[in-house]
């Protein structure tokens, strides 16, 4: 067992060697074949790491393939229109990642001749690159023995060290990074870091870790103490809140109004049918009239296009889309960056959130 739960105690050297050997040997036999695995192309490593933040591997695979096909090089990405990048990212969520990746590609072309730098300080200055992503790139693409800590590896390390405390506490965070730095293989750092994450994804899972299959069981403090299911400690259950929204399919001749969200905040830079929350005790129609007022437009409300349900963070949202016929006014908004009148068939060209894509499909089908 690694004596890691007391910070003053350095992990035993033989134990460290054993962890490296066992984990890498397990990785060589059990690692999933993923399109970015085995690639030492810094750009491919970078794109995959950004996509994998907060996102499941299975979800990322088709996005990664499409993205690399559309933008095979940093130069190609830098030359792309932001809207095209967002359109390709559509459905993957956390759109700020896409905007930062795009901005960083431009910076790499401007400052580094289109070659992703291999120096930590240069990488850190690029938009959207935090400690984890920088070290993932350095270890996987450049063979630097630097540690990584993200959700899966954090869980594995906490259990290995028998750390019961909140895994996000600053003191715990520091100990985890120190431990990861001690453990990372000097010869195969990229594989070692991926192995730690893979073990967390496949064996040392959040619920019901399969310790009997784990290559590190003889080193694991949590396993030894029988507390693997208590780490990390369970947080309070998320209480879901029901809310309602209205969206407008506002028609003018054969076009419909599409508006672009601000760069900051959820769905930043994406387009949508104008939308607002419905207050408690407010009708859908009353909320729609307020929305029209906010947009500086006059219209006659018509029928319901659809009501869709979606979840976002702790909210369960019922979104009702009403059709309306434009009668006058000029578009203005304190929220949206701009508005455009587009044909329903053109909606396919604009990056939309998942719920808004479902509404757009209703409109495109209706013509
Ligand atoms: S022995 Fe169990 S708790 Fe420990 S690292 Fe392996 S799977 Fe996780």
């Amino acid at each position: 067992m690694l004596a890691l739960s007391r910070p003053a105690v350095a992990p035993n050297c033989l134990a460290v060697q054993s962890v490296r050997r066992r984990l890498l040997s397990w990785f060589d036999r059990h690692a999933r074949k993923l399109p970015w695995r085995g690639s030492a192309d810094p750009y491919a490593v970078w794109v995959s790491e950004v996509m994998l933040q907060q996102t499941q591997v299975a979800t990322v695979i088709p996005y990664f393939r499409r993205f690399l096909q559309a933008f095979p090089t940093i130069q190609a990405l830098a030359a792309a229109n932001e809207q095209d990048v967002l359109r390709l990212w559509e459905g993957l969520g956390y759109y700020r990642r896409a905007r930062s990746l795009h901005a960083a590609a431009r910076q790499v072309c401007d400052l580094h001749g289109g070659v992703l730098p291999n120096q930590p300080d240069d990488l850190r200055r690029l938009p959207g690159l935090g400690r984890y992503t920088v070290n993932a790139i350095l270890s996987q693409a450049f063979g630097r023995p630097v540690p990584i800590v993200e959700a899966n590896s954090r869980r594995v390390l906490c259990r290995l060290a028998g750390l019961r405390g909140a895994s996000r506490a600053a003191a715990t965070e520091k100990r985890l990074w120190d431990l990861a730095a001690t453990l990372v293989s000097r010869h195969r750092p990229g594989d070692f870091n991926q192995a730690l994450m893979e073990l967390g994804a496949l064996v040392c899972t959040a619920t019901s870790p399969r310790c009997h299959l784990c290559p590190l069981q003889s080193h694991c403090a949590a396993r030894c103490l029988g507390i693997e299911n208590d780490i990390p400690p369970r947080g309070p259950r998320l209480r879901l809140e029901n809310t309602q929204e209205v969206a407008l399919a506002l028609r003018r001749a054969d076009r419909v109004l599409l508006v672009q969200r601000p760069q900051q905040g959820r769905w930043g830079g994406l387009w949508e049918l104008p939308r607002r929350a419905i207050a408690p005790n407010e009708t859908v129609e009353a909320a729609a009239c307020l929305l029209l007022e906010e947009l500086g437009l006059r219209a006659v409300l018509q029928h319901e296009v659809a009501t869709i349900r979606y979840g976002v963070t702790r909210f369960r949202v019922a979104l009702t889309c009403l059709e309306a016929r434009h009668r006058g006014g000029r578009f203005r908004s304190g929220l949206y960056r701009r508005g455009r009148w587009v044909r329903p068939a053109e909606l396919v060209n604009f990056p939309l959130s998942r719920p808004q894509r479902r509404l757009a499909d209703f409109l495109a089908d209706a013509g």
Side-chain angles (χ1 to χ4, degrees), residues 308-350:
I308 61 166
R309 288 166 211 288
Y310 67 93
V312 59
T313 58
R314 62 188 175 84
F315 297 103
R316 255 191 316 230
V317 185
L319 169 62
T320 299
C321 178
L322 296 182
E323 179 131 340
R325 183 60 58 183
H326 180 249
R327 288 286 182 256
R330 277 179 77 85
F331 172 79
R332 61 154 200 258
S333 174
L335 170 68
Y336 293 117
R337 294 170 69 195
R338 54 189 163 151
R340 283 179 62 176
W341 296 94
V342 304
R343 293 193 179 84
E346 294 170 330
L347 290 168
V348 73
N349 300 324
F350 290 83

Side-chain angles (χ1 to χ4, degrees), residues 156 159-160 203-204 209-211 214 217 220 223 228:
V156 175
R159 286 172 173 166
L160 267 181
V203 176
C204 193
R210 298 186 298 160
C211 300
C214 180
Q217 54 182 290
C220 180
R223 165 77 163 163
E228 62 269 23

Side-chain angles (χ1 to χ4, degrees), residues 3 6 10 19 49 63 68 70 91 124 151-152 159 175 192 207 220 257-258 263 297 309 313 360:
R6 284 170 292 155
V19 165
E49 287 301 335
Y63 280 91
L68 268 281
R124 261 181 235 122
N152 281 324
R159 286 172 173 166
R175 286 170 66 180
F192 181 89
T207 53
C220 180
L257 179 66
L258 203 58
Q263 288 292 76
L297 299 169
R309 288 166 211 288
T313 58

Side-chain angles (χ1 to χ4, degrees), residues 296-308:
L297 299 169
R298 296 189 305 281
V300 179
L301 297 180
Q302 298 182 319
H303 57 274
E304 177 180 322
V305 176
T307 292
I308 61 166

